[in-house]
Amino acid sequence: MKRKPAITSRDVAERAGVSQSAVSRCFSTNASISEKTKLKVLQAAKELGYRPNSIARSLITRSSRTIALVLSHLDNMFYPLVLEKASLRFQAEDYHLLLFVVPEEGDFIGVMDRILQSQVDGILMMSASLTSSLAQECVDTGIPVVLINRNVDFAGVSQVYSDNYHGGYWVGSYLAMGGHEQIAYLAGLKSSSTSRHRYQGLVDGLASLGKQCQVIVQGDYDFEQARSATLQLFSEPPYPDAIFAASDHMAIAVIETLRHDLGRRVPEDVSVVGFDDTPIAAWPSYRLTTVRQSVDQMVEEATTLLIKQIRQGDFRAVSRMLPVTPILRDSVRQFTHE
Amino acid sequence: MKRKPAITSRDVAERAGVSQSAVSRCFSTNASISEKTKLKVLQAAKELGYRPNSIARSLITRSSRTIALVLSHLDNMFYPLVLEKASLRFQAEDYHLLLFVVPEEGDFIGVMDRILQSQVDGILMMSASLTSSLAQECVDTGIPVVLINRNVDFAGVSQVYSDNYHGGYWVGSYLAMGGHEQIAYLAGLKSSSTSRHRYQGLVDGLASLGKQCQVIVQGDYDFEQARSATLQLFSEPPYPDAIFAASDHMAIAVIETLRHDLGRRVPEDVSVVGFDDTPIAAWPSYRLTTVRQSVDQMVEEATTLLIKQIRQGDFRAVSRMLPVTPILRDSVRQFTHE
DNA sequence: TTGAAAGCGCTAACAG
DNA sequence: CTGTTAGCGCTTTCAA
């Protein structure tokens, strides 16, 4: 790494005939500096092509104005979308974003170590695998953490997540009312609280109308795995007449498989429900009935919360559960007397 | 921002009964230090929960081990995928990733300023709007830049991109051979060299068999816009019997619109070809004929190049054009005598 | 191998 | 309002 020795505030100061700190003041808000010197400095700075070194600034202010974003599952459209929103939001607040893509349920520990070293001001986490000891470590270090779309029972970290239980509950009762009998749940990752809560909701929603969930298969939030799970579901009777997938991403995989590998019609032969309401769910080919989580709201809440915690050094963990909206489209058979 | 005063190498030194520099040496590779002291230090470090402050390290080494990633169009699955790959690759090389999501063709200048201030070691750019003056500025600062999936005629920056022209050329000749007569091009952003080259290829490929592209509409790489463009294409005769979309993302929008709004069959009534070969193209519902760009190869080349340039302080711009692979699926009508 | 000392480029008191 | 001064936490000579 050799590059031209960078231009420092000292160089600018010299050229402008002022002190180095005068230069510094020109580039920080609410520092008292006269119009006149400011002009001289800015002029010199421009001539030299000077830019304040934010590393040096971070070192002294002990704040990098950087937030770590931890995520996985980029293949599920839901995440790129929240990534985009979150990034725009943070940029607007003048925070930088350090991105950490973690493999599925990988060696989170290594990543955590790097995050902690990187002196971020806060952590926004959209990945399941945060053990409580890891979380504790963050809290000890004094770095605020907020979990998005995740819900762990560790008290130390803040979290914003959807009302997965009631989302699932709605699906359960809706499916029950539709007269479905053989209901299957296509689960997400085993470690995912989100998937578990949706399942619990489904079971209770079904039970409220005297039905039950007949079978549960693992899809792990993965497209291909959802496909095999669907195949497996239809490998021998009794065949499901409704499948609730823990994500739209998987629900689409189910529909594809149903239609093209299994020759089943949706919703006539089997009903499919998803969760998230990603853009794909609305595509005319699918018209997927699903449960909407508001990405906007989720990101808004999470980022606001994180920024507040950073600003105030306020570490009380707060949990925000967001309401969820059933989106009725055409992937569920309408009720008919039989 | 107040947090517990961080644990520094000084603290560790004190506890271990060694000098501060001894501690530093323990955490840097190939520094001479005896097993014995190293053990003591590591022990003390663990007890205190010490982690080297990478900001301070960056300040002195003048290298942040950070790379800026600039992108947009996160709604097009292609980009999340390259994002994921790139991030894994850089993480493996022990680089951090600073993410900058830029709006469509937004005020790139503001973003650039922030990037330059953030002292990144290199820039990987997947967004079109890099004016040559901006590029020049990077080069002046001595920060290597590589453009991915973009091809500007500014000589100063490196770029790795696909052979868009021949991709388009293949599509043109394939469509011509299929006996299509009314061929439409659904273009990407006006500012996109990529889209222009694909178009040029299409035109020449068609011409090689005595055909021509009848009409060109703007889709700007956007799903909804691609939908309206498709509608527009069929608002009055002559109707296209083939549409080449500059991205799979748009091609899917075309198919959806054709099937569900226009009641046209694909490929019987109209053929559709895309570009990228994102996972969706292979879904049974679409079986989109397309031109594959290898994300893996692109990312591999681009990251390797960038890292090399950073390491060697080698700023000669190099361009790598990657070959492209036609993927024949079922969205193009097979040739039949008429 | 080790410690002392000199900064990296900047901000933040503190005087003037 | 402005300059002087003292570090932020670390790496890196330089002697010992």
Side-chain angles (χ1 to χ4, degrees), chain A residues 15-299:
Chain A
R15 181 173 191 109
V18 298
S19 77
Q20 180 270 329
S21 36
V23 177
S24 169
R25 285 192 267 259
C26 283
F27 290 91
S28 62
T29 45
N30 60 45
S32 57
I33 185 112
S34 73
E35 251 341 277
K36 215 181 72 202
T37 26
K38 185 161 190 174
L39 236 59
K40 275 196 305 191
V41 170
L42 257 28
Q43 172 64 19
K46 182 173 295 173
E47 287 169 18
L48 262 31
Y50 167 74
R51 278 171 223 280
N53 181 328
S54 64
I55 301 251
R57 174 180 290 165
S58 299
L59 184 58
I60 192 162
T61 59
R62 281 98 180 294
S63 156
S64 59
R65 292 207 73 82
T66 296
I67 292 196
L69 212 77
V70 185
L71 48 68
S72 51
H73 297 295
L74 242 2
D75 56 332
N76 177 346
M77 277 298 277
F78 185 76
Y79 291 103
L81 257 26
V82 347
L83 176 58
E84 177 158 34
K85 286 269 190 308
S87 121
L88 259 22
R89 185 59 163 60
F90 282 126
Q91 275 169 209
E93 298 279 349
D94 208 38
Y95 278 96
H96 284 177
L97 238 67
L98 222 36
L99 186 72
F100 296 88
V101 176
V102 303
E104 289 278 309
E105 330 209 33
D107 63 331
F108 203 60
I109 182 102
V111 174
M112 206 57 204
D113 228 65
R114 307 178 42 169
I115 295 178
L116 261 14
Q117 276 183 44
S118 65
Q119 309 296 117
V120 295
D121 293 350
I123 304 177
L124 190 61
M125 215 178 272
M126 311 188 231
S127 181
S129 357
L130 177 71
T131 64
S132 42
S133 68
L134 245 22
Q136 186 59 58
E137 204 162 355
C138 291
V139 175
D140 287 350
T141 325
I143 303 182
V145 182
V146 1
L147 263 38
I148 198 170
N149 200 21
R150 290 289 180 269
N151 173 224
V152 299
D153 50 7
F154 174 66
V157 299
S158 297
Q159 30 199 301
V160 4
Y161 56 95
S162 290
D163 188 348
N164 294 299
Y165 176 81
H166 284 102
Y169 193 98
W170 173 79
V171 175
S173 51
Y174 184 63
L175 253 20
M177 285 189 312
H180 299 84
E181 295 294 343
Q182 283 292 329
I183 289 124
Y185 180 63
L186 178 53
L189 255 9
K190 279 243 174 62
S191 60
S192 152
S193 58
T194 304
S195 174
R196 280 198 306 275
H197 293 164
R198 288 169 195 174
Y199 176 66
Q200 200 50 55
L202 174 74
V203 167
D204 292 355
L206 249 17
S208 73
L209 289 160
K211 305 272 169 100
Q212 36 180 310
C213 178
Q214 304 296 336
V215 47
I216 165 167
V217 285
Q218 284 302 127
D220 292 358
Y221 293 125
D222 180 76
F223 196 88
E224 285 311 321
Q225 213 155 322
R227 293 202 60 165
S228 354
T230 308
L231 258 16
Q232 183 196 324
L233 242 19
F234 285 84
S235 59
E236 55 177 319
Y239 303 135
D241 59 1
I243 301 176
F244 173 33
S247 73
D248 283 0
H249 190 57
M250 292 195 294
I252 298 296
V254 170
I255 295 182
E256 287 291 335
T257 310
L258 248 17
R259 285 185 182 154
H260 301 279
D261 296 290
L262 265 10
R264 301 291 207 285
R265 289 165 308 165
V266 175
E268 294 83 350
D269 301 325
V270 13
S271 295
V272 178
V273 183
F275 208 106
D276 284 346
D277 195 31
T278 57
I280 299 184
W283 290 3
S285 287
Y286 304 109
R287 305 256 334 124
L288 180 68
T289 292
T290 189
V291 178
R292 174 181 297 163
Q293 316 194 63
S294 164
V295 172
D296 284 1
Q297 200 183 347
M298 220 152 173
V299 169

Side-chain angles (χ1 to χ4, degrees), chain A residues 1 3-4 51-56 58-59 64 74-75 77 80 83-84 87-88 91 94-101 113-114 116-121 137 140-142 223 227 252 256 260 280 283-286 310-311, chain B residues 1 3-4 51-56 58-59 64 74-75 77 80 83-84 87-88 91 94-101 113-114 116-121 137 140-142 223 227 252 256 260 280 283-286 310-311:
Chain A
M1 273 294 335
R3 61 174 66 157
K4 301 186 190 70
R51 278 171 223 280
N53 181 328
S54 64
I55 301 251
S58 299
L59 184 58
S64 59
L74 242 2
D75 56 332
M77 277 298 277
L83 176 58
E84 177 158 34
S87 121
L88 259 22
Q91 275 169 209
D94 208 38
Y95 278 96
H96 284 177
L97 238 67
L98 222 36
L99 186 72
F100 296 88
V101 176
D113 228 65
R114 307 178 42 169
L116 261 14
Q117 276 183 44
S118 65
Q119 309 296 117
V120 295
D121 293 350
E137 204 162 355
D140 287 350
T141 325
F223 196 88
R227 293 202 60 165
I252 298 296
E256 287 291 335
H260 301 279
I280 299 184
W283 290 3
S285 287
Y286 304 109
I310 292 171
R311 290 232 179 91
Chain B
M1 270 294 336
R3 62 174 63 159
K4 300 187 190 71
R51 280 170 221 279
N53 180 329
S54 64
I55 301 251
S58 299
L59 183 58
S64 60
L74 243 2
D75 56 331
M77 277 300 277
L83 176 59
E84 177 158 33
S87 118
L88 259 22
Q91 274 169 207
D94 208 37
Y95 278 96
H96 282 177
L97 239 66
L98 223 36
L99 185 72
F100 296 87
V101 175
D113 227 65
R114 307 176 43 166
L116 261 16
Q117 277 183 41
S118 64
Q119 309 296 116
V120 295
D121 293 351
E137 203 163 356
D140 288 350
T141 324
F223 197 88
R227 293 203 61 167
I252 298 295
E256 287 290 335
H260 301 279
I280 298 184
W283 290 2
S285 287
Y286 304 109
I310 292 172
R311 289 231 180 92

Side-chain angles (χ1 to χ4, degrees), chain A residues 284-332:
Chain A
S285 287
Y286 304 109
R287 305 256 334 124
L288 180 68
T289 292
T290 189
V291 178
R292 174 181 297 163
Q293 316 194 63
S294 164
V295 172
D296 284 1
Q297 200 183 347
M298 220 152 173
V299 169
E300 182 57 30
E301 297 270 354
T303 53
T304 305
L305 183 58
L306 188 52
I307 290 172
K308 199 183 101 194
Q309 297 202 341
I310 292 171
R311 290 232 179 91
Q312 310 183 344
D314 169 5
F315 293 41
R316 284 165 319 191
V318 353
S319 283
R320 285 280 285 142
M321 184 168 78
L322 270 20
V324 111
T325 321
I327 303 291
L328 272 65
R329 284 193 277 249
D330 310 327
S331 64
V332 172

Side-chain angles (χ1 to χ4, degrees), chain B residues 216-260:
Chain B
I216 165 167
V217 284
Q218 286 302 127
D220 292 358
Y221 293 125
D222 180 77
F223 197 88
E224 284 311 320
Q225 213 155 320
R227 293 203 61 167
S228 352
T230 308
L231 257 16
Q232 181 196 324
L233 242 21
F234 286 85
S235 58
E236 55 178 317
Y239 303 135
D241 58 2
I243 302 176
F244 173 34
S247 73
D248 284 359
H249 190 57
M250 291 195 293
I252 298 295
V254 170
I255 296 182
E256 287 290 335
T257 311
L258 248 19
R259 285 184 182 156
H260 301 279

